[in-house]
Amino acid sequence: EDGQIIGNLTLIPFYYRGHWLYLIANVGVHPDFRGRGIGRQLTVRALEHIREHHVDEAWLQVRDDNPVAINLYRSLGFLERVRRTTWQGNSAPLPDEDAPDSSIHIVSRHSTDWSLQSHWLEQTYPPEVSWNLSFDWRRLRPGLMRALGAWINGEQFHHWTARRGGKIVGSATWEGGRSLADNLWLTSLPEGEDEIINALLAHIRSQRVTNRYLGVNYPAGRARQGFERAGFVEINTLIWMNIDFSKVR
């Protein structure tokens, strides 16, 4: 307005499983110009652009503590698909008084554990979230050829499983990150999830595999006590919403 930029929206294209989709991001309005429907106008124009380019899906993420934005997106036809929480912790060992459940034992992953781990990974990081996390759980599979491919690509992984009474109850993979934090990919049985997640995180911290921060993306509302007991803090909880134009035409 009058030569001043007062609002912004970014469209990020993704090619996933044979089709294109757009992520709507960085929606912002200058504080002095809020309340005039500019955010709505930006979003409407973005949706028009997506349809003009014959792309069927639009996605966005909005913080769960932003009801104004949530209501705006719902009024435009976006539907909530999933809620995810980002947790972050450091790599220092926990104090002795925070010791995890002693009945849960953390060991290095065996190749025979992959069948269960891959099944749980697909449930914890389903397709509707894995595309935006740039996460393909198949990269974590064991085997010499996979290890060679990871070495060639400069990828770093460590894998563990949690066992109770000889049975696998959870798993964790540390992946060296390329930004400010390394990634952890966690899975757990629903029964005793807090204790299992807590034991996995405490073990990883005791291993000191990294001096960087550890980041975890996990289904919202799950294992909160386990994360907090392991010294992790919630960074945010995001609602993932989308419009599938192929179903609304």
Side-chain angles (χ1 to χ4, degrees):
E1 185 170 281
D2 297 328
Q4 179 183 2
I5 296 174
I6 60 175
N8 175 81
L9 180 148
T10 300
L11 280 177
I12 305 173
F14 284 84
Y15 190 72
Y16 180 73
R17 294 192 173 184
H19 72 279
W20 287 97
L21 55 88
Y22 272 105
L23 176 68
I24 295 174
N26 304 326
V27 182
V29 177
H30 190 289
D32 294 342
F33 294 87
R34 290 174 184 166
R36 292 171 45 179
I38 296 170
R40 172 180 286 272
Q41 293 178 60
L42 285 166
T43 308
V44 168
R45 182 64 190 95
L47 295 176
E48 291 173 352
H49 178 92
I50 293 169
R51 300 190 74 161
E52 288 166 1
H53 286 76
H54 309 292
V55 175
D56 284 337
E57 284 192 87
W59 283 80
L60 58 81
Q61 301 168 0
V62 57
R63 291 179 64 106
D64 68 341
D65 58 359
N66 189 350
V68 174
I70 294 169
N71 290 333
L72 165 63
Y73 298 135
R74 284 177 177 163
S75 72
L76 293 174
F78 282 88
L79 300 176
E80 178 177 338
R81 297 304 185 190
V82 69
R83 296 189 184 212
R84 307 286 298 192
T85 296
T86 297
W87 296 90
Q88 190 176 84
N90 61 43
S91 57
L94 290 168
D96 291 339
E97 61 267 22
D98 293 327
D101 187 339
S102 60
S103 70
I104 300 174
H105 303 282
I106 311 300
V107 298
S108 295
R109 184 187 72 181
H110 191 274
S111 59
T112 57
D113 300 334
W114 176 242
S115 177
L116 267 178
Q117 185 190 18
S118 61
H119 175 67
W120 292 343
L121 282 167
E122 191 172 16
Q123 292 181 324
T124 308
Y125 302 95
E128 58 262 36
V129 299
S130 59
W131 65 268
N132 187 242
L133 296 175
S134 299
F135 174 65
D136 184 349
W137 53 267
R138 292 168 293 188
R139 293 187 303 120
L140 310 186
R141 66 183 183 274
L144 180 59
M145 293 304 296
R146 177 59 202 140
L148 178 60
W151 179 78
I152 292 173
N153 294 325
E155 300 171 336
Q156 299 180 20
F157 299 102
H158 290 285
H159 310 277
W160 300 271
T161 55
R163 296 176 181 267
R164 176 182 271 154
K167 296 182 178 180
I168 301 174
V169 294
S171 71
T173 290
W174 169 85
E175 178 183 8
R178 299 182 181 181
S179 56
L180 298 177
D182 294 330
N183 298 314
L184 296 178
W185 308 107
L186 303 178
T187 71
S188 171
L189 284 178
E191 299 80 17
E193 185 176 32
D194 279 296
E195 291 76 15
I196 295 166
I197 294 298
N198 176 247
L200 285 165
L201 294 175
H203 179 80
I204 293 168
R205 292 183 63 162
S206 72
Q207 297 298 294
R208 301 304 298 273
V209 296
T210 178
N211 291 321
R212 288 147 50 96
Y213 280 103
L214 302 170
V216 183
N217 185 285
Y218 207 69
R222 286 175 45 185
R224 176 172 293 276
Q225 291 184 359
F227 281 104
E228 291 177 345
R229 284 179 52 210
F232 279 65
V233 296
E234 179 180 343
I235 301 302
N236 59 47
T237 292
L238 298 178
I239 303 173
W240 295 42
M241 309 178 78
N242 89 324
I243 293 179
D244 186 342
F245 294 118
S246 67
K247 297 180 179 178
V248 299
R249 287 178 180 146

